[in-house]
Amino acid sequence: MSGALCQLLSEKHPMATERYNPRTSEPKWQKAWAEKKLFEAQNDDPKPKYYVLEMFPYPSGKIHIGHTRNYTMGDVVARYKRARGFNVLHPMGWDAFGMPAENAAMQNKVHPKDWTYENIAVMREQLKMMGLSLDWAREFATCDVDYYHRQQMLFLDFVEKGLVTRKSSKVNWDPEDMTVLANEQVIDGRGWRSGALVEQRELTQWFFKITEFAQDLLDSLDRLDEWPEKVKLMQHNWIGRSEGLLIRWPLAVASSDKIGGDTRELEVYTTRPDTIFGASFMAVAADHPLARKAAESNVELAKFIEEVRHMGTSVAALETAEKKGFDTGIRVVHPFDETWTLPVYVANFVLMEYGTGAIFGCPSGDQRDLDFANKYGLPVIPVVMPEDADAKTFQVIEEAYVDDGVMINSRFLDGMKPEKAFNEVAKLLEEKTIGGRPMAERKVNFRLRDWGISRQRYWGCPIPMIHCEACGVVPVPKADLPVKLPDDIEFDRPGNPLDRHPTWRHVKCPQCGRDARRETDTMDTFVDSSWYFARFTAPWANEPTEPKAADEWLAVDQYIGGIEHAILHLLYSRFFTRAMRETGHLNLAEPFKGLFTQGMVVHETYRVGGPSNNGRWLSPSEVRLEDIDGKRHAVEIATGEEATIGALEKMSKSKKNTVSPEEITDGYGADTARWFMLSDSPPERDVEWTDEGAAGAHRFVQRVWRLVQIAAEQLPGVKPVAAKDGEAGAVSKSAHKILKAVGEDIEKLGFNRAIARIYELANVLATPLNDVAEGKADAALKGACREAVEIMVHIIAPVMPHLAEECWQALGGAEMVAERPWPVFDPALVVDNEIVLPVQVNGKKRGDLTIARDADQGAVEKAVLALDFVQKALEGKAPRKVIIVPQRIVNVVA
RNA sequence: GCGGACGUGGCGGAAUUGGUAGACGCAAGGGACUUAAAAUCCCUCGAUCUCUGAUCGUACGGGUUCGAUUCCCGUCGUCCGCACCA
């Protein structure tokens, strides 16, 4: 910029520039929106529908900034879609059952109900301060009797349809507290409270038969084209369909006799029957019937099984533990060789839940089997080798060979490809018989297990079933619902308070009228969150849904939530929608049309007393950051002690690196917080909260306000008109290009890109608006500026709705921006007549070519070859090749 | 352990999905204005060198291509999920 212009800009404008004050503006507009009920969706609205939903929060006590980023994303979409003429449903609720309420009850002697509803009240106010365009009329909490009543109705309908079953499964048992522990409550194999060694226990529990939908849940993934590929892949792998062979290995006669003689075979599921000649051992789960049988006469083995049972139930714990086995002494006979017997081990890495709970180990073709074989001195026979290897010298010692290749050391299979060998083994074993059955059967197996929903806890939805000694398990009649949680409970002892309640569990059997007892298990909280999105479509309904409303609103057009829910919550919801379809509550299979998984908000951590485990964590507000010789230091304000700056981590209470929304809204206002959270970082990635970033965002708020004030004072009554040429034309072209880009970016949830474009528009407007203020603008520039400012106000509105309203009012707008349509760009203004083509020589950029947009390839080539830097590079020779990518780039190969 | 991602200046990131690497913002430095400060405005800002130019540069090492941040193979690092946290 020239010195003269600098001088002009520095001259004081005649008007006083008042700073924008969010503390007065934001509540004012929030009230105005609420009074007009702008965000309450009507089910009978004839406009096209759009359902945007963010995963609802657990009411842990306070909203933190991570929540608000999530909700702001949804809010931007909701406000944008509303402006585009959609009937938008954007509801909010509370995932309100769960363990933390019970923990609070035990620690602080608060009733889980009071604790939860108090938290909800606090968090609702926090959300309201953020200016989210939510339909609060549809709000509910999953712990509302009204909601779990309908969930019990759904449960009974599922029971009737045969979608519910009872079976035995394992839980983490804390022998000291006499209670069931969640996986997260098991730390290094011990109970988090008692410190006692946890053991596995079998309990009869309730399950939803999600496995009946396994194939459909898998196949339907292909049609979810608005889901991230990675989530679909994760679900694909989780469902884990495999085609394999069930092989029945005969027990050696001596072995069979040893364990009583009535067990004569070992059933094994394998996806690699082709490697059957590489087998060197069998391994069964610790709770496999054969293991138990063998342990009856083997004290050492019983001890080993006991040890395995102390590992906790989580797969991660099992698989990261050292691979261990114990030889049962039992031997099986090889299906293709009666003289070949193999040992049967009990192994800690074999899971009873998967397949048949027994495997055959082929060390050369599986790394885990190889490690196991090496540890216990079992033979390693390579049976598949790369096609170009030599069968005589090919060896497997430390590293298993798992790729495709050719069969070796496998008798009649030698030379085949593994796939053919698979079919050959299957065919031959299907023909053989054992105990009157074929020795092998082809079987499709899923890794997916049925969904265990029983929880031995108080704060959850009671399972509406009754146990009668005469009639068995009887459903509570629908007329007797809801089964309400009793309020008078004690948390003075661990365990489930429902179990020891004096009266609650006693009930008459609905069938025979005799004394019976209620089921005291409550449902997994994932059940609550598996259908809340459907309930939002008619939260007033007496039935779980109003099927018409559900079918009209669903699927959710845009669902937004954390990647941590990529598997369980989303898979369970997909199951639930199918089950609700079978029971007539709605009529679709897939609940979420578009899915977006956003990143977390992270913050540095600070601790004093060294980085070791005994350090003391400090919150950002307790720390002063200093810059010494370019190095950042953190000092505890209270003591002056130097604190260690730790890694960026997910905000958590334990590490005290949380930032609450009030810390920003109290100072800068909600719009600044919303703007900052969406700028810079792409929404799917984590965002680091920094004070500098928030301050920068706030500077922009004030900058927009200043620009609008100039326009409001200098351009009153000026008609907004786009210009085609000159300085005014440049303003209009930029404004329309940016308007177009911002719309496209929001559609793609590219909020950070949209924000970068809006910054550009503000930059573009700065000089012309100053010209206007200096009285140097002609009518065309005034009209163009007025139009561009109005565009700017509308495109900031989804992210900074309060500021937009204040600006629009200053510009003399009659209605609120929240009620106004999205501006329309002029297609003629978003294309340029001349384009600048980068010109490369041998793939390196050497200059530009400015040429008419519609110039044909020949004209482009001619113009490029005439450029002096191209001539110089060619040294008078003809180019070997000229690659012209239309509208993109030119590459001259010399 | 298994599964899934990510890695670009001092920092957050952009790059029309194979076509100008570093848009936009933050931080930093310099300047204007001011009695001064804040605020605001302007300029510079990947590295190196023989500095109006050239070379290198997108975690690291290879490969495919006229052209690679983008695709392929390998290595390293960070993060998420693993079924009773929500």
Side-chain angles (χ1 to χ4, degrees), chain A residues 123-411:
Chain A
M123 292 169 76
R124 184 191 298 117
E125 286 317 300
Q126 287 182 297
L127 286 185
K128 289 195 169 174
M129 283 195 312
M130 294 303 296
L132 302 166
S133 65
L134 291 165
D135 183 351
W136 286 104
R138 295 177 188 240
E139 176 195 1
F140 59 78
T142 55
C143 63
D144 293 345
V145 177
D146 216 41
Y147 184 80
Y148 74 72
H149 177 182
R150 272 78 200 185
Q151 187 159 303
Q152 291 172 340
M153 293 167 84
L154 284 176
F155 182 89
L156 293 178
D157 287 347
F158 289 4
V159 169
E160 205 167 306
K161 271 276 168 188
L163 297 170
V164 181
T165 185
R166 272 184 105 210
K167 54 187 173 184
S168 165
S169 88
K170 274 180 286 187
V171 294
N172 299 308
W173 181 254
D174 185 322
E176 197 158 305
D177 278 355
M178 305 284 278
T179 188
V180 176
L181 298 176
N183 281 338
E184 70 156 17
Q185 296 174 317
V186 180
I187 297 154
D188 295 331
R190 290 174 183 275
W192 66 340
R193 229 181 277 280
S194 67
L197 272 178
V198 167
E199 55 191 72
Q200 297 177 2
R201 269 215 182 173
E202 296 275 344
L203 285 185
T204 304
Q205 311 210 66
W206 292 96
F207 287 80
F208 285 141
K209 292 195 208 165
I210 190 172
T211 52
E212 294 203 350
F213 295 86
Q215 191 67 52
D216 183 38
L217 287 168
L218 182 66
D219 295 341
S220 302
L221 285 174
D222 292 340
R223 294 190 288 279
L224 294 172
D225 48 10
E226 290 178 49
W227 278 41
E229 284 303 320
K230 60 174 172 179
V231 173
K232 289 195 276 184
L233 188 58
M234 282 160 90
Q235 292 215 353
H236 183 101
N237 291 336
W238 186 260
I239 295 168
R241 183 182 195 275
S242 64
E243 290 178 14
L245 207 59
L246 198 66
I247 304 179
R248 302 189 174 99
W249 298 62
L251 260 54
V253 179
S255 296
S256 189
D257 290 348
K258 202 163 84 185
I259 55 169
D262 44 349
T263 307
R264 300 197 180 278
E265 57 190 60
L266 177 60
E267 227 174 38
V268 158
Y269 177 78
T270 178
T271 57
R272 293 296 304 273
D274 49 303
T275 64
I276 196 161
F277 289 102
S280 62
F281 64 94
M282 317 296 284
V284 301
D287 38 3
H288 191 279
L290 194 63
R292 292 181 182 187
K293 265 254 164 73
E296 284 168 11
S297 55
N298 186 337
V299 185
E300 288 297 307
L301 177 59
K303 236 170 92 183
F304 177 76
I305 290 172
E306 194 57 27
E307 193 185 308
V308 174
R309 287 183 49 206
H310 277 298
M311 281 207 302
T313 58
S314 86
V315 176
L318 294 177
E319 302 234 336
T320 42
E322 193 196 350
K323 307 289 172 285
K324 277 188 195 165
F326 194 97
D327 192 346
T328 59
I330 296 170
R331 296 189 80 86
V332 294
V333 182
H334 197 279
F336 290 111
D337 186 345
E338 284 178 16
T339 64
W340 180 1
T341 65
L342 300 91
V344 177
Y345 279 74
V346 173
N348 62 358
F349 57 85
V350 179
L351 303 174
M352 197 59 219
E353 287 79 18
Y354 187 77
T356 59
I359 61 158
F360 79 75
C362 172
S364 63
D366 181 286
Q367 192 59 44
R368 196 170 54 183
D369 293 349
L370 180 62
D371 294 343
F372 191 84
N374 284 341
K375 182 166 180 169
Y376 294 104
L378 296 159
V380 179
I381 310 154
V383 283
V384 183
M385 66 167 191
E387 301 223 35
D388 53 3
D390 179 1
K392 291 190 191 72
T393 57
F394 184 72
Q395 277 191 358
V396 167
I397 294 165
E398 290 294 326
E399 210 169 310
Y401 181 76
V402 296
D403 296 326
D404 200 14
V406 59
M407 305 305 304
I408 51 171
N409 300 326
S410 296
R411 307 188 191 183

Side-chain angles (χ1 to χ4, degrees), chain A residues 424-460:
Chain A
E424 191 68 19
V425 169
K427 197 185 87 195
L428 291 170
L429 291 183
E430 275 166 349
E431 286 161 4
K432 289 183 139 192
T433 55
I434 176 171
R437 293 188 294 181
M439 207 164 204
E441 285 172 42
R442 284 175 189 270
K443 197 180 170 212
V444 171
N445 194 50
F446 290 96
R447 207 185 74 101
L448 182 69
R449 312 202 295 254
D450 275 333
W451 174 13
I453 61 154
S454 282
R455 298 291 181 271
Q456 293 70 42
R457 297 186 214 297
Y458 164 75
W459 195 232

Side-chain angles (χ1 to χ4, degrees), chain A residues 789-801:
Chain A
V789 168
E790 292 192 2
I791 287 175
M792 182 174 73
V793 169
H794 283 80
I795 63 179
I796 63 166
V799 187
M800 302 201 286

Side-chain angles (χ1 to χ4, degrees), chain A residues 625-637:
Chain A
L625 291 168
E626 292 171 350
D627 207 320
I628 303 166
D629 301 328
K631 227 185 150 218
R632 295 176 68 242
H633 292 261
V635 174
E636 183 177 13
I637 296 167

Side-chain angles (χ1 to χ4, degrees), chain A residues 31 33 61 69 72 86 90 145 167 173 315 388 406 460 537 600 696 699 710 729 741 743 810 818 854 894:
Chain A
K31 200 167 153 239
W33 297 326
R69 184 180 185 221
T72 303
F86 287 89
H90 185 212
V145 177
K167 54 187 173 184
W173 181 254
V315 176
D388 53 3
V406 59
T537 64
M600 297 175 297
R699 274 201 296 276
I710 294 174
D854 49 7

